[in-house]
Amino acid sequence: MWQKLKKWGCYAIIIVLLPYVVTVFINGPGVMADSHVDSTVVQVQTEDGIVKMPIEEYCVGVLAKEIPASYEKEVLKAQAILVRTDVYKKIKESGSDTVLDGEFWTQKKMEQAWGIKYSQYFHKLKEAWDETEGQVLFYEDELALTPFFRLSNGCTRDAKEALGSEEYPYLKIVDCPEDIQAEKQIQTTVVDDMDAEVTSVDTAGYVLNVRVGKENVSGEEFRKNYHLTSGCFTLQRYNGKIRITTRGIGHGLGMSQYSANKMAKKGKTYQEILDYFFEGTEIKEVVEILIDAE
């Protein structure tokens, strides 16, 4: 009797373990190692100081802050990969003691912002995160630079012009024709008169340099100083003031969330969305990055 029970126990163990053995045989041990990779604990700078939390909690908070939770699931997945890639890139470059200082929403902030839709939106973002678990964007053998913004002026920017670097050939001009029709495409701000003029723009129409008095500042610096919604802007004197007209929302480099959402509505997958905005990159698993950083 004991021998029979022992025999059946062995069969049961084999049945339970067989799917795992087959998976490892086909895909290699790395696939199993990353099954809970997003439970890694990271250090995060908050208003109350540096705290430790699971990377998932932090990154879902970043998603909540950075992209409308009402957007399509596939674009939320694409955004999740961009956020995860950025975080692990920082960990790889600075080590496991990295303190993440990017802004994110706490659960309390989400509840305040979303009200009765909190549960719906939170679970939507959590699912987007879980369904892309461990996935990051690579260019050749390195984690890619993964910028994003809300709305372009009709196309994205070329990193060679915007950043003055040839390290990111996958960040180039791509058309975003539907962005032009967006409700908040054009916005106007009026400021006090000053001696200022735009001195150079890039191919996509975003400002590279502005002369302010005798000083030259970058377009992004000027945008931040005057809290402009976009890096694509013009200056015009009007009734003793300066009228600043902007197009789009954000810096214009990387993925336009608005266009990506339109693509998702047309049936594009998150892989297709990322391939469009980051052509030449590849989605890979992050498990080896964790091993290197320890």
Side-chain angles (χ1 to χ4, degrees):
M1 181 67 178
W2 170 248
Q3 291 296 327
K4 288 183 177 180
L5 289 174
K6 188 175 180 180
K7 183 177 180 180
W8 281 107
C10 291
Y11 287 155
I13 291 173
I14 291 173
I15 292 171
V16 170
L17 293 181
L18 184 59
Y20 295 89
V21 174
V22 172
T23 300
V24 172
F25 178 76
I26 295 175
N27 299 304
V31 172
M32 301 312 301
D34 75 351
S35 60
H36 298 292
V37 68
D38 287 338
S39 64
T40 303
V41 174
V42 293
Q43 299 185 93
V44 178
Q45 182 68 55
T46 70
E47 295 178 353
D48 300 320
I50 298 175
V51 300
K52 291 184 177 181
M53 66 178 66
I55 193 170
E56 174 186 286
E57 179 181 345
Y58 170 71
C59 289
V60 170
V62 174
L63 286 175
K65 179 186 181 299
E66 296 293 351
I67 189 168
S70 59
Y71 272 12
E72 297 293 311
K73 188 72 165 290
E74 290 302 302
V75 70
L76 296 181
K77 290 181 184 179
Q79 183 71 56
I81 291 177
L82 299 187
V83 170
R84 184 184 292 108
T85 303
D86 179 63
V87 168
Y88 280 113
K89 187 176 179 66
K90 290 174 181 175
I91 292 174
K92 184 179 181 183
E93 292 174 350
S94 302
S96 57
D97 292 332
T98 303
V99 176
L100 303 171
D101 57 3
E103 294 185 17
F104 70 105
W105 280 2
T106 60
Q107 181 177 335
K108 182 178 180 180
K109 178 62 178 177
M110 294 179 207
E111 291 173 345
Q112 292 173 342
W114 297 332
I116 61 173
K117 290 190 174 183
Y118 163 73
S119 180
Q120 173 190 346
Y121 283 168
F122 176 80
H123 284 100
K124 190 175 179 182
L125 294 180
K126 179 70 164 53
E127 286 176 0
W129 182 261
D130 290 344
E131 290 173 17
T132 60
E133 183 173 6
Q135 296 181 26
V136 289
L137 211 58
F138 268 77
Y139 180 71
E140 296 181 344
D141 297 324
E142 297 292 334
L143 285 164
L145 181 67
T146 54
F148 54 86
F149 59 98
R150 187 61 53 86
L151 178 71
S152 79
N153 66 351
C155 65
T156 65
R157 307 176 69 179
D158 189 310
K160 183 177 179 181
E161 293 182 293
L163 304 178
S165 172
E166 297 186 2
E167 294 182 32
Y168 315 107
Y170 48 89
L171 292 175
K172 53 188 179 182
I173 295 175
V174 297
D175 291 332
C176 303
E178 296 204 55
D179 284 9
I180 299 174
Q181 306 301 322
E183 181 181 351
K184 296 183 178 180
Q185 171 60 219
I186 299 177
Q187 299 185 53
T188 301
T189 301
V190 178
V191 300
D192 291 336
D193 194 13
M194 60 178 147
D195 180 20
E197 66 174 334
V198 173
T199 55
S200 64
V201 298
D202 63 17
T203 305
Y206 287 80
V207 176
L208 293 174
N209 292 287
V210 181
R211 180 188 60 77
V212 182
K214 295 182 179 180
E215 296 184 10
N216 287 308
V217 299
S218 70
E220 277 302 297
E221 183 179 352
F222 188 88
R223 178 171 84 92
K224 292 175 181 177
N225 288 343
Y226 289 92
H227 309 289
L228 306 180
T229 57
S230 172
C232 176
F233 58 85
T234 57
L235 308 178
Q236 180 183 25
R237 283 184 173 77
Y238 177 75
N239 286 343
K241 301 280 187 177
I242 294 287
R243 182 166 59 189
I244 307 176
T245 302
T246 60
R247 293 186 60 194
I249 301 175
H251 50 63
L253 190 65
M255 185 182 81
S256 163
Q257 294 172 334
Y258 186 90
S259 270
N261 192 50
K262 290 292 187 180
M263 292 173 68
K265 286 184 176 182
K266 294 178 180 178
K268 298 296 184 182
T269 65
Y270 72 91
Q271 296 96 330
E272 291 173 316
I273 290 170
L274 291 175
D275 185 57
Y276 183 74
F277 288 103
F278 302 87
E279 185 179 351
T281 60
E282 181 181 1
I283 296 174
K284 293 185 179 181
E285 301 294 337
V286 76
V287 63
E288 64 268 24
I289 302 302
L290 290 178
I291 296 172
D292 292 341
E294 292 178 351

